[in-house]
Amino acid sequence: MRNDMQPHGNIRFVKSLTQDMPGAITLALLAGVVGLASGVVCALFHAALTLVVRVHDQVTAQAQASPWPMLLLLVGGSALATGIAASLVRRLAPAASGSGIPHVEAVLEGEMRPAKARLIPIKFVGGCLAIGSGLALGREGPSVQMGAAIGNLVGHLSRRDLADRRALLAGGAGAGLATAFNAPGAGAVFVLEELVGRFDARIVLVAIGSTVGAIFVSRWILGGALDFPAPDFASGGSAALPLFLVLGLVVGLASVIYNRCLLGTLRLMEKVPGPAELRAAVIGGLAGLLAYVAPDMVGGGDDMVTRLIRADVALTLIPMLFLVRLLFSTLSYAADTPGGLFAPMLALGALVGLGFGLIAAPAFPGLGVPAGAYAVVAMGAFFAGSVRAPLTGIVLVTEMTGGSALILPLLSASFGAMLVTEMLGEPPVYAQLRERAARSER
């Protein structure tokens, strides 16, 4: 993360806010508006997606009980849903394709124009159709981009200058992430570490105000339950830190494989002839078939991560699960429908971590670290290796699981993961996706 702070940074922080007190107050109020609006939209998106996924699960269960004609309905419905999602994106809001985070970053860097307000319903509906059909995509991508679009809209309607509009856009993006995972700290840190890459007093003000407003309203709509509640795992103390460092090295290599597989799949799909809707429909149909064969492997991976944290998967199955999930998640993103990368990355990290833990826990019983703890730590390390935003990953995993005992292991593993990616010269995944989007727009 770039750091523009000089000595006496706290004094500069206060001065930058007090020099234009009326403007700062107005901006703070607008940040609250952005947060409240983003919280409502993203919480409703979360609720709608939960409902759609529940329907998909019911159809899957009925197809397994009596394959004909429910199997045709499952496969055909998934293909139709992803095809419609891709069509909505291509025809009405091309910027809504994929995660949306690379587009938000490009807008903040002045490389691309902000998305128009019509992106919000396209991202909402398209995300429900794509993720609800079983594609291995996360809800955070649509949430972040919808929040950013709301921030930009509020900035435009309030006639703020360019700097304030960008701050509100970034704050809206952070509010979207906070709502997606019930993680306000991660939302605020994500804005500074990943989206803008610097410490700026006004952006700090907007990021905190927006995430607080978003969490206030989203918890009123959704409740405050943790995404992945974990037991109070033992960390093993300082004696276990070298072992977590080794875990980070392994996870870092896995994150490089993921990044390269993702970009390679995107390049491969660009060469496939035919309309985008047809490609998306084929991928959706494959998702329907996979749901019939292995229902736990489809979707964002929430249920899978919960099982992995509880160490409810046999060691012999983990290599196959990782390979299938890796290929399916990268193929899902290549469908060019709305959907994020965070959730699939967390699931892959948890798989690597549990595999490591099922070997390490019996090998080092004196440490007292259960296998599930390695899965939790590996989620943050995988995020650090792939995205290169270790603080966001650590705060995100801590808030999602509700535990702080693993912060030191998370730091150690994240260090190892980033060391591997730096040594191998692997750029952050969102930087690569942003560069790819910029080339396609030229």
Side-chain angles (χ1 to χ4, degrees), residues 193 262 321:
E193 184 180 37
L262 177 66
L321 293 177

Side-chain angles (χ1 to χ4, degrees), residues 235 237-252 356 374 377-378 380-382 384-385 390-391 394 405-420:
S235 66
S238 58
L241 292 182
L243 193 57
F244 282 110
L245 175 61
V246 175
L247 170 63
L249 298 175
V250 175
V251 171
F356 186 93
Y374 294 96
V377 171
F382 198 100
L391 297 181
I394 291 169
L406 296 176
I407 287 181
L408 275 177
L410 278 163
L411 284 167
S412 181
S414 296
F415 169 76
M418 292 190 66
L419 177 62
V420 169

Side-chain angles (χ1 to χ4, degrees), residues 85-261:
S87 180
L88 289 173
V89 168
R90 187 178 70 84
R91 296 173 184 273
L92 300 177
S97 172
S99 165
I101 292 175
H103 178 264
V104 172
E105 291 182 355
V107 170
L108 291 171
E109 291 292 330
E111 299 171 358
M112 301 179 74
R113 294 181 179 180
K116 296 181 179 179
R118 68 168 176 251
L119 174 139
I120 298 171
I122 300 304
K123 202 79 177 182
F124 191 112
V125 175
C128 286
L129 290 172
I131 303 172
S133 67
L135 296 188
L137 300 170
R139 61 180 176 270
E140 86 292 330
S143 298
V144 167
Q145 198 173 23
M146 287 190 295
I150 290 171
N152 180 69
L153 179 62
V154 170
H156 177 74
L157 294 176
S158 60
R159 299 183 179 180
R160 305 300 295 179
D161 61 24
L162 180 61
D164 284 356
R165 289 203 303 271
R166 286 182 173 173
L168 291 169
L169 185 148
L177 178 61
T179 304
F181 292 122
N182 190 22
V189 173
F190 176 72
V191 171
L192 300 177
E193 184 180 37
E194 176 63 22
L195 292 185
V196 299
R198 68 180 184 277
F199 188 95
D200 180 276
R202 292 203 159 215
I203 293 178
V204 170
L205 179 73
V206 173
I208 294 175
S210 297
T211 53
V212 169
I215 286 296
F216 172 79
V217 70
S218 66
R219 287 183 177 175
W220 180 73
I221 296 173
L222 300 173
L226 299 174
D227 268 34
F228 307 122
D232 190 14
F233 288 127
S235 66
S238 58
L241 292 182
L243 193 57
F244 282 110
L245 175 61
V246 175
L247 170 63
L249 298 175
V250 175
V251 171
L253 181 60
S255 70
V256 171
I257 293 172
Y258 169 76
N259 284 10
R260 294 183 180 179
C261 186

Side-chain angles (χ1 to χ4, degrees), residues 365-377:
L367 295 175
V369 181
Y374 294 96
V376 172
V377 171

Side-chain angles (χ1 to χ4, degrees), residues 421-442:
T421 54
E422 288 291 335
M423 290 176 59
L424 294 178
E426 180 67 19
V429 66
Y430 287 127
Q432 297 185 69
L433 291 173
R434 189 178 81 193
E435 182 180 346
R436 177 178 176 273
R439 285 199 305 268
S440 65
E441 195 173 79
R442 295 189 189 114

